[in-house]
Amino acid sequence: TRSLAMAMATDSHGRHRAAPALRSGPALMLFFAVTGASSLLLSAPAAVRVAQSSAHAQQLFFAWRGGRSNPPRCCIDELSDDFEDTLDVEELLSDVGVEVGVATALSDEPDKAMTEAELSGIAEGEWEMSDGEDGGKMLRVVVAGKLMKFETGVMARLASGAVSVSVGETVVFNTACLDRNEVRAIDFAPLRVDYFERSSSVGRTPGGYIKRDGRPSDAETLVARIIDRPIRPLIEAGWCAETQLVSYVLASDRQHIPDVMAVCGASAALAISEVPFSKPVAGVRVALIDDELIVNPTNAQMEKAKLDLVIAGTSDAVMMVEGCAEFVPEDKVLEALELGMKAVSTISSAIKAWAKAIGKPTYTAGLRELPTTL
């Protein structure tokens, strides 16, 4: 009982904070009831100590509440006329530095990617290359009314190629690395692709005992295969250096789906690297929602989708198609393929122009001569 009563701490402002186990009114009331019943089974001195500890815990609990909200109704014998079981929202917002009125407007905020596309001044299907604010290089592409931003030269500068892709508040970081130590003559492209989605991307930390990240989930493995399939055949024949592509979701706004962003980002990282990759690829998702085809829909829109099609390819050819659907006519599927290929062609052409402007020269030591008999 005393240990539970002492399971209170003070924050930097001197206010008492209850332990997680004591942060709910019903749980604390159950604790008071148990300690009260147990005092009947103890000797008189012990019962006095238990009652004191219980009273002390109750005082600390209401001190922790600090007047922010009134105590639970079960703690009050008679309610006064002016009793209001409400939180002081203005005080809570002022403590964390948020202006009153801002929090209520967050839920009604429009899609940031569409807002940025309108403010960028870039027309649909066009792109723009520029210098970033931190000394990096930036590529901005408008596809399906949304602004897709590619940036390099800021993080992972020792990697052969490193590109961060952002749409709205979702950011996917992609790197392309190669091994220069030992190049063996082999007859296949030694490529490894990894894709990671972590709880930290949405500001969460695993609550269990093990805090470390485990092996990739099945969904992450499938996304890594989506990245691998269109890229592997386009690496120049004769490439023998070990190569690794890593796509890591740094931030997620839970609106924009990061898997197709990872395809575009991994392709861009490989295109500006020293790996011979002359035809960059891109990936988009096309969904049929209320009899309308939408390119790169949000998670909320996908709940009503009857067709989910992931298309990856170059500026002039389809490399991979993956998807699922209900009973959809073939004409709609062909229309979705055509619509998706327009977006794929725009993104891949933009990446190709960007790689031509800022890309690194090819690492020729990683190429072996092909047999003349082939």
Side-chain angles (χ1 to χ4, degrees), residues 2 37 48 50 76 114-115 124 126 187 251 267-268 344 362:
R2 183 173 295 276
V48 171
V50 170
I76 303 176
M114 290 188 174
T115 304
E124 174 69 25
E126 301 292 334
D187 58 354
S267 172
V344 166
T362 302

Side-chain angles (χ1 to χ4, degrees), residues 41-362:
L41 303 178
L42 301 176
S43 60
V48 171
R49 289 196 297 271
V50 170
Q52 290 176 349
S53 300
S54 177
H56 180 59
Q58 189 173 6
Q59 291 175 1
L60 290 179
F61 173 74
F62 291 121
W64 163 68
R65 298 294 288 264
R68 296 178 181 273
S69 64
N70 294 303
R73 295 181 183 271
C74 60
C75 300
I76 303 176
D77 297 331
E78 295 181 0
L79 296 178
S80 59
D81 296 336
D82 57 348
F83 176 78
E84 294 183 0
D85 190 12
T86 58
L87 288 172
D88 191 348
V89 179
E90 295 184 3
E91 184 180 354
L92 290 173
L93 294 177
S94 62
D95 286 349
V96 296
V98 177
E99 297 181 2
V100 178
V102 174
T104 56
L106 292 179
S107 59
D108 300 330
E109 184 180 358
D111 191 344
K112 184 178 179 181
M114 290 188 174
T115 304
E116 290 180 343
E118 296 174 358
L119 298 177
S120 65
I122 305 174
E124 174 69 25
E126 301 292 334
W127 62 86
E128 179 183 84
M129 293 180 285
S130 61
D131 294 332
E133 298 179 357
D134 299 325
K137 301 295 182 180
M138 183 175 292
L139 170 67
R140 298 188 298 169
V141 188
V142 175
V143 176
K146 297 181 181 180
L147 181 64
M148 179 178 290
K149 294 184 290 186
F150 298 79
E151 189 174 8
T152 186
V154 178
M155 296 185 291
R157 296 180 180 178
L158 294 181
S160 183
V163 175
S164 61
V165 184
S166 60
V167 178
E169 296 292 340
T170 299
V171 182
V172 181
F173 183 63
N174 309 269
T175 58
C177 299
L178 58 96
D179 185 11
R180 299 180 179 86
N181 295 328
E182 182 181 1
V183 179
R184 299 175 296 169
I186 53 180
D187 58 354
F188 63 92
L191 176 66
R192 176 191 174 102
V193 179
D194 293 306
Y195 173 82
F196 300 103
E197 290 180 356
R198 300 305 186 197
S199 301
S200 58
S201 63
V202 292
R204 299 176 60 185
T205 303
Y209 177 76
I210 300 176
K211 303 295 183 182
R212 295 184 179 180
D213 296 325
R215 66 178 185 179
S217 64
D218 292 343
E220 291 171 322
T221 302
L222 293 176
V223 174
R225 293 177 182 177
I226 291 177
I227 300 171
D228 181 283
R229 283 197 291 265
I231 288 178
R232 185 181 293 270
L234 296 178
I235 296 177
E236 186 174 335
W239 179 252
C240 299
E242 292 281 347
T243 308
Q244 183 181 27
L245 295 177
V246 177
S247 297
Y248 197 104
V249 181
L250 291 182
S252 175
D253 57 7
R254 302 190 184 187
Q255 294 184 14
H256 303 95
I257 306 174
D259 53 359
V260 291
M261 295 171 55
V263 177
C264 300
S267 172
L270 198 63
I272 67 173
S273 70
E274 300 160 283
V275 179
F277 185 65
S278 58
K279 286 189 176 182
V281 302
V284 298
R285 170 177 274 102
V286 182
L288 180 62
I289 302 170
D290 296 333
D291 293 331
E292 181 183 357
L293 292 173
I294 299 177
V295 177
N296 289 342
T298 62
N299 275 316
Q301 292 174 326
M302 286 301 299
E303 294 179 357
K304 303 177 182 179
K306 293 185 177 180
L307 171 67
D308 180 8
L309 208 60
V310 176
I311 306 169
T314 63
S315 58
D316 53 6
V318 176
M319 297 297 298
M320 184 208 68
V321 177
E322 180 177 302
C324 60
E326 297 180 6
F327 293 100
V328 178
E330 293 182 3
D331 295 340
K332 276 293 182 182
V333 177
L334 293 176
E335 186 181 348
L337 287 172
E338 293 178 359
L339 181 63
M341 269 308 299
K342 290 181 180 178
V344 166
S345 179
T346 298
I347 300 172
S348 57
S349 299
I351 295 174
K352 186 175 181 178
W354 195 43
K356 186 177 180 180
I358 67 171
K360 298 178 181 179
T362 302

